[in-house]
Amino acid sequence: MASRKLNVLVYTGTGSTLESVRHCLYSLRRLLSPNYAVIPITESALLKEPWSPTCALLVFPGGADLGYCRVLNGAGNRNIAQYVRRGGAYLGFCAGGYYGSQRCEFEIGNRELEVVGTRELAFFPGTCRGGAFKGFAYHDENGAKAAKITVKKGAFPAAATLPDVFSCYYNGGGVYVDAEQKDSRFVEVLAEYADDIAVESGEIKAAVVYCKLGNGSAILTGPHPEFAAVNLGKHKGVPGYDALVDELAADDDGRTNFLKGCLAKLGLEVSEDDSSIPSLSKLHLSSANHVEVGELLFSFGDIITREDEEEYVKGQNDLFHLEKPDSRWSMATLNQALASEYGSPKKTTGRGTPDPTADYAQIPKRIVSHETAWPEPKETPCFNHAVYYSSLQEFRWKESDAREWGDLLMYGEVVTSTNTLLEKNHNLLSKLPTGFTLAATTQVAGRGRGSNVWVAPAGSLIMSTVINHAAHHAATRPIVFIQYLAAIAIVEAIQSYDAGYARLPVKLKWPNDIYAQDPTTRPDNGAPPTYVKIGGILANCAYSAGNYQVVLGIGINTNNGRPTTSLDALLALLQDGRDDPLPVFRIERLLARILTRLEALYAEFLRTGFSRALEERYYRHWLHSGQVVTLEAEGGVRARVVGITRDWGMLRAEEIREDGSRTGRVWALQSDENSFDFWKGLVRRKV
């Protein structure tokens, strides 16, 4: 299995500010998705998790760098420095720039604000001195300004799109003193302040520097090129602030292109399309049998709130507006009706547009019910309901145990997270039957292990299915095996999608990931093929009325080749000897195939439990038979993977000696759900 550097990690721990983190996440996701997953990381993960093998860029945002020092001095900074020197990349904005310098000198002589001292990372071998401009105050915009920044275009490999000068948000950042005197093999000035500054800087007023360290590199900035004007709100008490935002907005292309240049300088692949994160779309509720839509809505009776002749379901996490296809919804009316309980559902920037970084839980979700016909293609241009429902019926002819799952479908072109919308709204979830499925084309807040969040691009199959697992089954049919059933269902559905697909090289990685052979590499001299991740499974569970309600989330790279590879890309591996190419996958058809395969497997599981036959089918597709791992929690002993336990689905590994012989000790292990790189030779006991 290959560990690709696909994560861009934004530090969100002690010392960072919410505003700076939000600007980082917004701008970096805009410029790097879908090539990378831009996700938050805390100091605990930096200290304890193996994050570096999959990290393409580590970002430290604005804030207070003394907080960074307090929690990361010592072991944390050694981890970061080692990561960079071994080929990693570091990007520090404002406080993150001070933190990455050898010495910080901030507001010397100001008894309230002065911070002076050495810093351990020392990527810039000198002093970062600030504030470059007067007026800074913590948690205040009075010191903010639109700073003019002059770009050193010769320092960039592709300078054609870079501005000569651009306006950039500034609030308290420093200047890199005597940067021009440093060894040019290791330090380059990328930009300087065009205006006079308030501190001594040397010959050049270096605002942004690039530092080469071992096999890696770092870029440190004084200003904030990650701050987009669209995300800056009004500050009525700050004179000239509106004019500042207007100036930044007028020069946003220059700021964006400079930030792109910095990311490319650090070795990242910047997206050509830098459009904003899309707005949430309507959710279309339909059924194979149209009458079932009305029956489901009728069952919602005791959770529906009626206000101004409109109907809402107020979930624990989200607000749903039940909209008829022919009705019109006024956002203004909804704002007035619900302001007392929910506050303003849409935060605005003060410039007439929604804030892309607003709390999605506060944005109402519109559900359109289709009680007489399926949605028209023009309503859901990325998903054809007729293809989906006809495929569902086709595959049921092949599966005697597949009868109902997927009959009720809710689809949204752009959603927050299919799992969150179901699992976090317990009153809605409690009304949903087994097999109810929520699918989407794009997720803007998809969920994975731990607190990982990312934008899932179009081209992925994104779905969550409800399974009401009766409590009396829990002892003999443990819920943990549902994720194993899902893994089997996904691989078998892909390989039985149609004639000719059976040899697609798709595998399982324990406990909940889908891997595929990398079509861009061909094994030489009998070496095993390289596998990369193309999908994952996330199962969440709640209890209601005698049932464990499992929300089973599945995501698979289907038509999208980024960030790793896709099912479509695998088809090239099967073309040898064929006159006609295999058709690419259709999301609608694959969704139907997974649901019918999963329903049949679940029915078998209820009859027989996780039988020897099901276990063997799981092993047939997994990657781990005979894999040697290190048991970190057991003092680093070596063990060989031999399977999973059939009682609670734990990993079975037998201890081995240096010569590979068995000692007779067998371990039953659980996964560490928060690990960044679970299989990097480590197996961790759940604490």
Side-chain angles (χ1 to χ4, degrees):
M1 292 172 290
S3 289
R4 290 192 175 184
K5 293 182 178 294
L6 300 174
N7 290 333
V8 171
L9 305 178
V10 177
Y11 177 76
T12 61
T14 302
S16 65
T17 66
L18 176 62
E19 191 71 9
S20 292
V21 168
R22 289 171 65 178
H23 279 280
C24 278
L25 292 174
Y26 170 74
S27 289
L28 294 177
R29 285 175 177 168
R30 181 185 176 193
L31 299 181
L32 296 175
S33 295
N35 299 332
Y36 305 89
V38 181
I39 55 180
I41 186 171
T42 64
E43 64 259 31
S44 176
L46 281 176
L47 289 165
K48 300 176 182 179
E49 291 294 333
W51 53 269
S52 60
T54 56
C55 180
L57 175 66
L58 179 63
V59 182
F60 269 69
D65 92 315
L66 282 180
Y68 304 162
C69 295
R70 181 161 60 85
V71 295
L72 294 173
N73 273 359
N77 286 334
R78 284 194 296 272
N79 289 347
I80 295 170
Q82 183 181 71
Y83 155 74
V84 172
R85 293 182 185 281
R86 289 182 175 179
Y90 175 97
L91 178 56
F93 296 115
C94 196
Y98 287 114
Y99 185 56
S101 301
Q102 188 176 57
R103 180 175 173 82
C104 168
E105 294 182 0
F106 181 73
E107 293 293 323
I108 293 179
N110 185 323
R111 296 169 62 182
E112 294 183 0
L113 298 178
E114 182 177 287
V115 177
V116 179
T118 58
R119 296 293 183 262
E120 292 182 347
L121 292 179
F123 295 149
F124 174 69
T127 298
C128 182
R129 182 178 293 152
F133 300 97
K134 292 184 180 298
F136 174 79
Y138 282 111
H139 311 298
D140 197 321
E141 296 295 322
N142 279 290
K145 67 173 293 176
K148 290 291 186 184
I149 305 297
T150 302
V151 180
K152 298 290 189 180
K153 299 175 74 171
F156 294 89
T161 60
L162 292 174
D164 294 311
V165 180
F166 70 99
S167 295
C168 185
Y169 179 87
Y170 169 90
N171 197 0
V175 62
Y176 297 91
V177 178
D178 295 327
E180 73 282 357
Q181 297 181 18
K182 308 300 180 186
D183 190 328
S184 60
R185 294 174 299 171
F186 305 111
V187 176
E188 289 182 272
V189 177
L190 301 184
E192 62 178 307
Y193 296 107
D195 302 320
D196 292 336
I197 60 176
V199 294
E200 290 295 326
S201 64
E203 183 179 340
I204 292 180
K205 297 169 288 186
V208 183
V209 292
Y210 170 86
C211 307
K212 183 68 177 171
L213 306 117
N215 294 321
S217 57
I219 287 180
L220 312 178
T221 81
H224 284 279
E226 81 283 16
F227 272 46
V230 69
N231 295 331
L232 294 171
K234 285 187 174 181
H235 289 272
K236 294 182 179 179
V238 180
Y241 192 81
D242 281 356
L244 176 157
V245 176
D246 288 338
E247 181 179 344
L248 294 177
D251 210 1
D252 194 63
D253 285 346
R255 175 199 66 84
T256 300
N257 287 333
F258 177 75
L259 184 54
K260 282 183 176 181
C262 289
L263 293 170
K265 179 86 172 176
L266 289 170
L268 279 84
E269 185 175 356
V270 181
S271 301
E272 294 183 8
D273 179 11
D274 60 356
S275 58
S276 300
I277 296 173
S279 300
L280 300 183
S281 65
K282 294 181 179 182
L283 301 170
H284 295 269
L285 178 62
S286 63
S287 176
N289 183 3
H290 303 311
V291 69
E292 291 183 0
V293 175
E295 292 173 351
L296 180 64
L297 293 175
F298 180 78
S299 74
F300 289 178
D302 60 337
I303 63 171
I304 289 178
T305 299
R306 292 173 175 82
E307 300 190 29
D308 295 334
E309 300 183 357
E310 297 291 342
E311 295 181 334
Y312 311 97
V313 172
K314 298 178 181 179
Q316 286 76 8
N317 188 73
D318 296 278
L319 172 65
F320 300 92
H321 174 242
L322 303 180
E323 178 185 354
K324 300 293 184 182
D326 57 350
S327 69
R328 299 185 67 187
W329 177 43
S330 166
M331 174 65 80
T333 300
L334 181 63
N335 286 351
Q336 295 170 6
L338 302 176
S340 61
E341 181 169 351
Y342 276 79
S344 176
K346 265 200 177 179
K347 182 179 176 219
T348 62
T349 64
R351 320 210 72 72
T353 58
D355 180 355
T357 64
D359 182 358
Y360 284 118
Q362 298 298 314
I363 301 175
K365 317 304 185 292
R366 294 180 287 173
I367 298 178
V368 182
S369 57
H370 297 267
E371 300 181 46
T372 59
W374 298 325
E376 294 288 338
K378 65 181 179 181
E379 294 180 275
T380 59
C382 297
F383 189 92
N384 189 305
H385 284 74
V387 171
Y388 165 72
Y389 284 115
S390 64
S391 299
L392 200 61
Q393 290 302 113
E394 174 193 343
F395 290 128
R396 283 176 180 166
W397 284 103
K398 303 178 181 180
E399 302 279 4
S400 60
D401 283 330
R403 302 183 182 93
E404 297 177 345
W405 290 26
D407 272 357
L408 278 165
L409 176 74
M410 189 154 67
Y411 165 79
E413 184 173 333
V414 182
V415 305
T416 51
S417 159
T418 58
N419 258 42
T420 296
L421 288 172
L422 299 181
E423 185 255 335
K424 294 296 185 182
N425 296 290
H426 305 304
N427 57 343
L428 177 64
L429 177 61
S430 67
K431 302 294 183 181
L432 301 179
T434 293
F436 178 94
T437 298
L438 173 58
T441 293
T442 299
Q443 284 189 147
V444 295
R447 294 169 57 198
R449 289 182 178 182
S451 59
N452 292 351
V453 178
W454 64 90
V455 177
S460 301
L461 183 149
I462 305 165
M463 60 177 284
S464 293
T465 295
V466 176
I467 302 174
N468 295 303
H469 191 68
H472 66 266
H473 287 315
T476 58
R477 311 290 188 267
I479 293 173
V480 67
F481 285 106
I482 290 178
Q483 67 177 341
Y484 298 139
L485 299 178
I488 298 170
I490 291 169
V491 174
E492 293 185 352
I494 290 168
Q495 294 178 341
S496 63
Y497 173 84
D498 211 336
Y501 294 76
R503 293 188 297 109
L504 274 177
V506 183
K507 298 289 185 180
L508 311 176
K509 181 180 84 78
W510 184 84
N512 57 4
D513 287 332
I514 309 299
Y515 272 58
Q517 183 177 331
D518 187 347
T520 65
T521 61
R522 298 295 176 97
D524 297 323
N525 301 322
T530 300
Y531 282 85
V532 293
K533 183 177 177 179
I534 64 163
I537 302 164
L538 178 66
N540 297 110
C541 185
Y543 183 83
S544 176
N547 289 313
Y548 291 102
Q549 290 196 289
V550 178
V551 177
L552 184 68
I554 295 171
I556 304 169
N557 289 356
T558 306
N559 310 130
N560 58 304
R562 297 301 179 96
T564 55
T565 190
S566 66
L567 294 180
D568 281 357
L570 296 182
L571 296 176
L573 299 175
L574 305 183
Q575 293 304 124
D576 292 344
R578 292 184 62 94
D579 294 329
D580 56 326
L582 288 170
V584 297
F585 283 85
R586 288 204 65 158
I587 295 289
E588 304 93 332
R589 184 175 171 82
L590 182 58
L591 172 61
R593 187 65 190 113
I594 290 174
L595 286 169
T596 51
R597 191 82 283 271
L598 180 60
E599 183 179 5
L601 282 168
Y602 181 72
E604 181 179 347
F605 175 61
L606 291 184
R607 288 193 301 268
T608 66
F610 198 71
S611 63
R612 178 65 66 185
L614 284 174
E615 184 181 8
E616 289 176 354
R617 284 165 73 178
Y618 185 79
Y619 296 150
R620 189 182 308 153
H621 302 301
W622 84 336
L623 288 162
H624 310 304
S625 295
Q627 181 177 353
V628 175
V629 296
T630 299
L631 306 187
E632 184 186 71
E634 304 302 329
V637 301
R638 298 172 73 245
R640 180 183 292 113
V641 174
V642 294
I644 56 176
T645 66
R646 289 171 60 194
D647 51 2
W648 300 109
M650 300 173 76
L651 189 72
R652 292 177 61 239
E654 56 184 13
E655 185 179 2
I656 58 174
R657 300 182 179 91
E658 287 299 321
D659 63 2
S661 62
R662 294 177 292 181
T663 68
R665 301 179 70 187
V666 178
W667 304 90
L669 302 150
Q670 289 178 276
S671 67
D672 180 348
E673 291 296 337
N674 295 313
S675 178
F676 273 83
D677 192 4
F678 180 86
W679 281 103
K680 189 66 175 180
L682 300 172
V683 174
R684 298 162 173 255
R685 281 192 181 276
K686 191 79 168 181
V687 178

